[in-house]
Amino acid sequence: MATLNLVHLYPTVLNLYGDRGNITTLSRRCAWRGHELRVHDLNMGEAFPEVEVDLVFIGGDQDREQGVVVDDLRRGHATRIEALVADAVPLLAVCGGYQLLQKYYRPAEGQDLVGLGIFDAHTLHPGHEVARRVGNIVVAWERGTIVGFENHGGRTFLEGGTAPLGTVLKGFGNNGEDGTEGARVANAFGTYVHGSLLPKNPELADYILQLAFARRYPDVSLAALDDGLEQQAHEVALVRAQERL
Amino acid sequence: MILAVGAAKATSVLTRTTGRGGGTALPGLVALHVDPHLVEKLAGQLAEGSVLITGTNGKTTTSQMLESILRSAGLAPLRNRSGSNLLRGIASSLAGEAGVLGKLSDEVRLALFEVDEAAMPGILRAVKPRRALLLNLFRDQLDRYGEVATVARLWKDAVAALDPSAQVIANADDPLIVDAVSGSAAPVTFFGIESTAAPTSGMEHASDVKACPRCGGAMQFDVVFLGHQGHYSCSHCDLRRPTPEVSAREVVLDGLNGSKFVLRTATAETEISVPLPGLYNVYNALAASAGALSLGLSTERCSAGIRATRAAFGRMERLEVGGRTVQVALAKNPTGLNEIVRTVATSPEPLHLLVMLNDNTADGHDVSWIWDADIELLGGRLESVCFAGGRAADMALRFKYADLLDGKQPPKWSVIFDTESAFRQALAWTPAGARLFIIPTYTAMLDVRGLLTRAGHLRAYWEEG
């Protein structure tokens, strides 16, 4: 039995759109294989957990909540998170969390929010009169399709050859213009896909877990699980995206 | 207007005779097309004016309770039908009571309008209600409404523009509501739960108030009753829970049977028996009472009316099917589902469930919210569960990742997308004399209710009332 440590950034503030389902999925898929995922919450004003970090997760929330955490994140933990990413620790950032880890976010009104710059990208909000990017989404990535739902006002633009997580097959993705969705830097993944993201995309969940195990437990290989129900939900989402967009 | 009313009536007859549903919204849509000011003109004729009831959860049951209180006092208010809670639904209900000359029947003196939370500002301007009853704001259909904060902002503007002769009745325990009414041009009466003995669960995962809605500071809760409703204050600005003029004290929940509480005002105190289960129905009964009190009725009337309330359309509605008790409990957002799960879990018997998840427009296309609900509370209680609806597999997955589908004594379970087959399987798995809970989203509730109606277990919804 192996133990992994996951740090969940601001779970009490950034938890819209079923973000918790991602943690539940990583945790259950470890447990069903006889391993343990320990989840360490990092909330506002707290010190970074004193553990060997194997995984990092950050979700999203309303604009107000994101404004609340950005200072705490930048002042308190920027160096630590940069070092973890440089050390190939897998990190998953969804929606608002993805935006916070970019260089900056320019809201519809008010000042730019300066982010961590983990992803060489920025996000512009075109104004509240412009339609949000809402709907079912399908993304092609190196191991198949990612399905889910997107709901974001901001448009994200990747810079300097930053690799996207995948290519949009249905939906909008980063900005609805260039066909890219999400970003990948080292083992850090940013995406707009929720739904939750990981339950219906077990290949991505296991890929992230495999990267984490490979760093600390190179001998552990992940046993196959019965993903019949996951595949069924995945296929329903594929059909929905075809019908609706 | 004459044309508009006539058009509404003709459409209503047509939709019913062609069997295309209850004819509750389409006639209004047609009428509004003919005369966009129809609602203003007809609502203005109500001698006692109208009460507007809005919020994310509890609109229909609160309206049902308030209607029951008013009827116990010999009043017969007009009501729009559950689910027809946009402007067109209100136009339909008003046009149904108007003569072809556009004159509202003299017998219709007072109206109760339950209103969609996002449509509330527009309807407030058209209807000009004498009373606005504001229940709560939770995350719901984020793909349609946007963020909760957006709806709260729209409410704030609408309430600030109210006529000063109107009256606002608002939930003191919901910080989003209290902030939204802070600029009200009309006087505000608050209701809230004072009982510190009321069952609490601590802050739920799906809480929508982590930062102060006014200044962004940290919110402190002394007690949380449900979602983000409780006793709170902001650590930074002056937003804090106001002392309610109408309060529920000594709240005692009695499982699936209902609850009791003491309704207190500055001048009276009366025990209330709520025949519907769950703390959320204590809030509904309290809100209905505050509404009735504002109309000049006594606390005794409130007690009599609430005791006589039948469950509304799909809200813990109970019926007998083939020797089984079937109870339909609508759950359309995480807070609602949490309350249903918590209430269902009070059943002393092993649980038989039919959980139905749809992703139609009226449900919200985004089903992520199921991951925000605390399904884990059902651990060790399930004997059988069927999953139905367009997103049945998503819901099954939610149960799987709550570790509810395996373990030492796994329940019987199955994913059956089709409503009728799923219902038949769920009923077959429920032993004679036992109870089957059906937990559907909104359009799934209409599906299963349609099925039960066709089988002769329920009357069609447009025949009720």
Side-chain angles (χ1 to χ4, degrees):
Chain A
M1 186 189 109
T3 302
L4 293 177
N5 291 303
L6 179 146
V7 174
H8 188 176
L9 299 173
Y10 310 106
T12 61
V13 182
L14 304 179
N15 66 1
L16 212 57
Y17 304 126
D19 285 331
R20 180 173 59 165
N22 295 313
I23 307 283
T24 307
T25 302
L26 293 173
S27 160
R28 296 291 87 203
R29 295 183 75 82
C30 282
W32 292 334
R33 292 162 163 133
H35 305 303
E36 185 190 6
L37 182 75
R38 289 193 187 146
V39 180
H40 308 269
D41 291 349
L42 173 69
N43 283 303
M44 296 279 292
E46 292 177 1
F48 211 86
E50 295 280 334
V51 291
E52 294 282 347
V53 180
D54 300 297
L55 286 155
V56 180
F57 177 79
I58 181 166
D61 214 295
Q62 315 190 52
D63 277 2
R64 156 151 266 160
E65 271 70 24
Q66 280 168 213
V68 169
V69 300
V70 69
D71 287 335
D72 192 76
L73 183 63
R74 217 176 52 238
R75 293 207 195 105
H77 312 295
T79 323
R80 183 71 195 270
I81 293 169
E82 279 162 24
L84 290 170
V85 172
D87 199 19
V89 170
L91 174 152
L92 178 61
V94 176
C95 204
Y98 171 40
Q99 293 172 345
L100 290 173
L101 299 193
Q102 297 166 18
K103 282 158 62 178
Y104 64 91
Y105 173 77
R106 181 161 297 160
E109 53 216 41
Q111 297 205 319
D112 287 3
L113 290 178
V114 177
L116 256 53
I118 300 284
F119 300 111
D120 198 3
H122 65 274
T123 295
L124 311 176
H125 195 299
H128 292 294
E129 68 286 355
V130 183
R132 292 175 68 85
R133 300 302 205 192
V134 184
N136 287 290
I137 177 170
V138 181
V139 178
W141 74 305
E142 59 190 73
R143 294 171 177 235
T145 48
I146 292 171
V147 293
F149 202 89
E150 61 182 324
N151 183 353
H152 50 107
R155 274 67 161 159
T156 294
F157 297 90
L158 304 177
E159 298 172 21
T162 300
L165 173 61
T167 309
V168 178
L169 296 180
K170 278 280 170 188
F172 300 103
N174 280 333
N175 50 53
E177 292 164 22
D178 63 15
T180 65
E181 158 50 25
R184 179 170 181 184
V185 171
N187 290 332
F189 302 86
T191 181
Y192 277 117
V193 184
H194 60 262
S196 304
L197 170 68
L198 295 182
K200 283 197 289 280
N201 295 295
E203 285 91 358
L204 179 60
D206 280 356
Y207 182 64
I208 290 171
L209 283 178
Q210 188 66 61
L211 290 170
F213 276 107
R215 280 183 73 255
R216 191 170 307 283
Y217 306 101
D219 298 338
V220 171
S221 66
L222 294 181
L225 296 174
D226 175 1
D227 285 336
L229 197 52
E230 286 81 349
Q231 293 306 341
Q232 197 177 12
H234 186 100
E235 278 154 29
V236 169
L238 283 175
V239 172
R240 275 296 185 281
Q242 294 296 334
E243 288 170 351
R244 290 249 160 81
L245 288 174
Chain B
M1 176 158 76
I2 295 170
L3 268 175
V5 171
K9 286 182 176 300
T11 314
S12 176
V13 170
L14 267 176
T15 50
R16 285 179 203 196
T17 49
T18 54
R20 288 161 165 257
T24 55
L26 191 59
L29 193 61
V30 172
L32 285 172
H33 185 71
V34 178
D35 182 354
H37 298 290
L38 181 71
V39 169
E40 276 173 83
K41 290 174 188 169
L42 290 177
Q45 297 174 29
L46 291 161
E48 311 281 340
S50 56
V51 183
L52 183 150
I53 298 156
T54 189
T56 310
N57 289 335
K59 294 181 281 287
T60 302
T61 299
T62 301
S63 303
Q64 184 96 346
M65 287 173 166
L66 183 50
E67 179 182 359
S68 179
I69 297 169
L70 294 170
R71 285 192 182 276
S72 82
L75 298 165
L78 171 67
R79 254 181 86 190
N80 59 323
R81 283 294 149 220
S82 157
S84 291
N85 57 15
L86 304 176
L87 193 61
R88 53 186 184 250
I90 289 169
S92 290
S93 62
L94 282 166
E97 297 297 328
V100 284
L101 296 178
K103 174 86 176 67
L104 212 53
S105 157
D106 286 340
E107 280 154 35
V108 183
R109 302 175 58 78
L110 174 69
L112 306 183
F113 293 129
E114 58 174 290
V115 164
D116 176 270
E117 57 270 36
M120 183 276 247
I123 294 175
L124 202 65
R125 279 188 287 276
V127 172
K128 300 189 177 59
R130 301 233 179 121
R131 285 165 183 79
L133 188 44
L134 310 183
L135 304 176
N136 49 58
L137 273 176
F138 297 113
R139 65 176 71 178
D140 186 19
Q141 297 191 34
L142 297 160
D143 54 322
R144 182 153 75 98
Y145 295 144
E147 302 174 331
V148 183
T150 311
V151 179
R153 211 160 36 232
L154 293 173
W155 278 31
K156 200 168 188 170
D157 295 343
V159 171
L162 264 176
D163 190 285
S165 68
Q167 198 180 334
V168 175
I169 301 127
N171 185 349
D173 296 348
D174 188 328
L176 289 170
I177 299 280
V178 170
D179 184 51
V181 303
S182 59
S184 173
V188 181
T189 303
F190 287 105
F191 63 86
I193 294 180
E194 289 291 14
S195 171
T196 47
T200 61
S201 63
M203 202 73 165
E204 285 166 24
H205 173 76
S207 171
D208 292 309
V209 179
K210 292 142 284 194
C212 172
R214 188 173 296 169
C215 75
M219 289 297 278
Q220 275 158 0
F221 281 84
D222 295 334
V223 55
V224 179
F225 295 121
L226 192 163
H228 58 258
Q229 303 192 348
H231 296 187
Y232 55 86
S233 59
C234 175
S235 58
H236 192 251
C237 74
D238 60 356
L239 183 69
R240 54 186 305 119
R241 175 182 181 263
T243 304
E245 288 88 356
V246 180
S247 63
R249 289 155 194 268
E250 297 167 48
V251 176
V252 180
L253 298 186
D254 180 18
L256 294 172
N257 300 319
S259 61
K260 282 190 167 51
F261 68 89
V262 174
L263 174 67
R264 188 192 282 180
T265 69
T267 53
E269 206 174 81
T270 300
E271 186 169 90
I272 305 279
S273 289
V274 187
L276 305 172
L279 189 62
Y280 64 103
N281 277 317
V282 171
Y283 267 113
N284 292 336
L286 178 60
S289 300
L293 292 166
S294 82
L295 291 165
L297 299 181
S298 66
T299 52
E300 286 77 17
R301 280 278 169 236
C302 296
S303 175
I306 286 165
R307 199 180 310 120
T309 304
R310 286 189 311 132
F313 192 55
R315 276 77 173 179
M316 279 290 174
E317 199 176 17
R318 195 188 321 197
L319 55 145
E320 302 298 317
V321 180
R324 281 93 177 145
T325 300
V326 172
Q327 204 152 3
V328 185
L330 171 71
K332 53 191 174 121
N333 49 45
T335 307
L337 184 54
N338 278 339
E339 290 312 303
I340 298 299
V341 161
R342 225 196 282 179
T343 302
V344 160
T346 63
S347 170
E349 308 297 326
L351 294 173
H352 299 277
L353 305 183
L354 167 58
V355 192
M356 307 177 67
L357 179 62
N358 275 356
D359 63 349
N360 297 315
T361 301
D363 306 296
H365 298 306
D366 185 0
V367 296
S368 312
W369 61 272
I370 63 174
W371 294 91
D372 287 328
D374 298 319
I375 304 285
E376 283 78 1
L377 279 172
L378 296 172
R381 302 295 317 284
L382 292 177
E383 194 152 288
S384 76
V385 52
C386 278
F387 301 98
R391 290 286 195 155
D394 282 77
M395 189 57 101
L397 212 49
R398 176 70 191 94
F399 275 62
K400 176 179 175 177
Y401 279 86
D403 272 340
L404 296 174
L405 301 185
D406 52 13
K408 283 194 204 84
Q409 289 180 305
K412 296 176 197 145
W413 68 274
S414 186
V415 176
I416 305 171
F417 292 89
D418 174 65
T419 301
E420 189 161 358
S421 316
F423 178 67
R424 217 177 295 129
Q425 178 64 76
L427 207 59
W429 277 344
T430 307
R435 190 188 305 250
L436 170 65
F437 288 100
I438 304 182
I439 306 177
T441 54
Y442 188 73
T443 67
M445 190 263 285
L446 297 183
D447 284 352
V448 77
R449 232 176 156 279
L451 180 73
L452 293 168
T453 305
R454 286 194 299 281
H457 303 297
L458 282 170
R459 283 187 299 160
Y461 68 94
W462 61 89
E463 290 166 0
E464 288 183 357

